[in-house]
Amino acid sequence: MVTRRNVIAAAAALLLAAACILAFFLHIPVRTSADRRIRCLWESGAREEAYAEVLGAIAGVREGEIVLRRGSEEGVIEAGECFETVRTALSEGNLFDLITLDTQGLAPIERAALFMTFGRTLYYSGEAFAFDGTKVSRSDMVCADRVVLLEGSLPAHYLGDVGATALSVRADAEISAADLVRSNVCKLDAEAPYRAEGDSLFLTSAGRTRLVASLPSAVQLTVADCDYADMGALSACRALTALSLPFLGNSKTRVTAFDGTLAWLFWTDEGNTMPATLASLTVRGGFVDAYALTGTPIEEVTLCGVPPENISRSAFLGMPALRRLHTPRKDVLLDGWAQYSSVQAPCGCTVYEKI
């Protein structure tokens, strides 16, 4: 039996079908969420813009916001709760957080901003993972701007092979200076017990801090105060011209198997990798033993702050390039000592200069 309700339903269905056919042949665009106007808070004031206009202005993301930039003007788009959950996971999460990401609630502009920020990041935990805008999954991506070492170690030469310029080291990572050799990494951040300070990476354990590595981009490097230094910790630094150290060698105190030479910091399986460009050295503490600097290309040494009793008279023998020495010890031995003049500095140290 045909009822009034059946007739109305049939008519509605016919109208919908007709509208779809008409839209197909006339190419009437279907409005999507990406077509909606987006509220942007610029320094010059708030305004609404189209998705395509905003996309080209995205400069990054931060807590609760998408950062925009046009010329010198900065703006933001206030983001939702899902965005912040995903951003936090991509910035700070472990592997479980990453592979269980739920991105269903992201607005199109939020998804685009997150992909633009994290799409060229490789997360490494035994194998590589990457974010494709929808999920984090195993990846065979061969180029990356940033590598996040979640846990374990990296394959040999991995950072150099993928061309990464930034490295994030997580708490369960196992990393050494060898991982940075021949890489282009110039940005570093780390999670405790690791610590990134300046151009160097440190690891704290049992209340003691050791120097693990320094960046290959370092030219004038000041290593922060620490207790120990790994062998070859500076082996990735192939362009150093000036170096300031809290101590020479592997420890600031005379521990078992103490090595007080500068070469310790550059020693690898390939031998001594100290760059020929290294001309200036400052040592702020510890011990300076006999022949500690023999064979180095260093032209200028400053030891102001090292106790004079901790400096060997023979520490500076075998340094043919030495032209200036600032030392609290007054009776040091120098190759061709007659070629040097000496004067007392205001700090009380003696400054020797090659004539």
Side-chain angles (χ1 to χ4, degrees):
M1 180 177 178
V2 179
T3 66
R4 180 187 170 118
R5 181 176 295 177
N6 294 141
V7 172
I8 294 173
L14 286 172
L15 286 172
L16 179 60
C20 290
I21 293 170
L22 186 63
F24 176 82
F25 285 105
L26 296 180
H27 303 290
I28 297 173
V30 178
R31 186 173 179 83
T32 68
S33 58
D35 296 317
R36 295 175 185 161
R37 306 291 287 181
I38 299 168
R39 181 175 170 78
C40 304
L41 305 175
W42 292 97
E43 291 173 336
S44 58
R47 58 181 179 267
E48 292 190 346
E49 300 184 21
Y51 175 87
E53 295 175 319
V54 175
L55 196 63
I58 293 175
V61 298
R62 59 189 178 215
E63 185 176 354
E65 295 177 333
I66 299 170
V67 181
L68 307 174
R69 189 168 291 112
R70 284 200 186 105
S72 59
E73 186 179 18
E74 185 173 299
V76 298
I77 298 171
E78 294 179 348
E81 184 177 339
C82 180
F83 168 90
E84 183 54 26
T85 299
V86 175
R87 187 202 66 81
T88 300
L90 292 171
S91 300
E92 308 168 13
N94 56 33
L95 183 58
F96 179 79
D97 296 329
L98 293 168
I99 62 178
T100 58
L101 269 184
D102 181 2
T103 64
Q104 294 292 323
L106 291 175
I109 196 65
E110 293 174 339
R111 190 181 301 276
L114 289 168
F115 180 71
M116 291 170 68
T117 303
F118 298 101
R120 287 183 58 83
T121 295
L122 281 172
Y123 301 89
Y124 200 90
S125 177
E127 54 188 326
F129 297 80
F131 176 59
D132 64 5
T134 301
K135 64 184 182 305
V136 173
S137 57
R138 291 179 176 85
S139 174
D140 56 3
M141 189 163 69
V142 296
C143 294
D145 295 334
R146 176 175 173 238
V147 169
V148 180
L149 182 55
L150 297 170
E151 59 183 349
S153 58
L154 292 169
H157 313 303
Y158 186 79
L159 294 172
D161 290 344
V162 301
T165 57
L167 172 66
S168 296
V169 180
R170 297 289 173 78
D172 295 324
E174 298 171 8
I175 194 163
S176 70
D179 294 309
L180 291 163
V181 171
R182 299 187 186 91
S183 79
N184 297 314
V185 175
C186 56
K187 296 179 182 178
L188 181 66
D189 63 83
E191 182 179 82
Y194 289 98
R195 181 183 95 246
E197 185 170 340
D199 287 330
S200 298
L201 179 68
F202 301 88
L203 176 62
T204 299
S205 177
R208 299 286 184 174
T209 300
R210 78 173 202 258
L211 172 66
V212 175
S214 291
L215 295 180
S217 58
V219 176
Q220 297 184 339
L221 176 65
T222 296
V223 176
D225 290 344
C226 54
D227 301 293
Y228 305 105
D230 285 354
M231 178 184 284
L234 303 185
S235 58
C237 304
R238 300 299 173 88
L240 280 180
T241 61
L243 176 62
S244 176
L245 296 169
F247 53 83
L248 270 182
N250 61 359
S251 174
K252 70 177 181 182
T253 59
R254 289 193 179 280
V255 295
T256 305
F258 175 74
D259 186 312
T261 65
L262 180 61
W264 168 271
L265 296 170
F266 295 93
W267 200 265
T268 69
D269 292 340
E270 300 175 3
N272 188 349
T273 63
M274 189 182 305
T277 55
L278 183 56
S280 174
L281 173 68
T282 298
V283 181
R284 307 190 302 271
F287 294 84
V288 185
D289 284 353
Y291 307 103
L293 302 173
T294 296
T296 64
I298 294 170
E299 300 174 7
E300 183 173 343
V301 177
T302 300
L303 303 178
C304 190
V306 180
E309 63 272 17
N310 289 2
I311 301 172
S312 168
R313 289 190 68 205
S314 305
F316 313 103
L317 295 177
M319 296 183 67
L322 183 66
R323 60 177 180 79
R324 188 176 190 276
L325 171 64
H326 185 129
T327 172
R329 180 157 186 167
K330 304 180 184 299
D331 59 346
V332 297
L333 300 175
L334 300 172
D335 293 318
W337 63 269
Q339 300 176 29
Y340 290 86
S341 64
S342 65
V343 63
Q344 184 171 326
C347 61
C349 294
T350 300
V351 177
Y352 296 88
E353 293 202 55
K354 204 165 195 176
I355 301 171

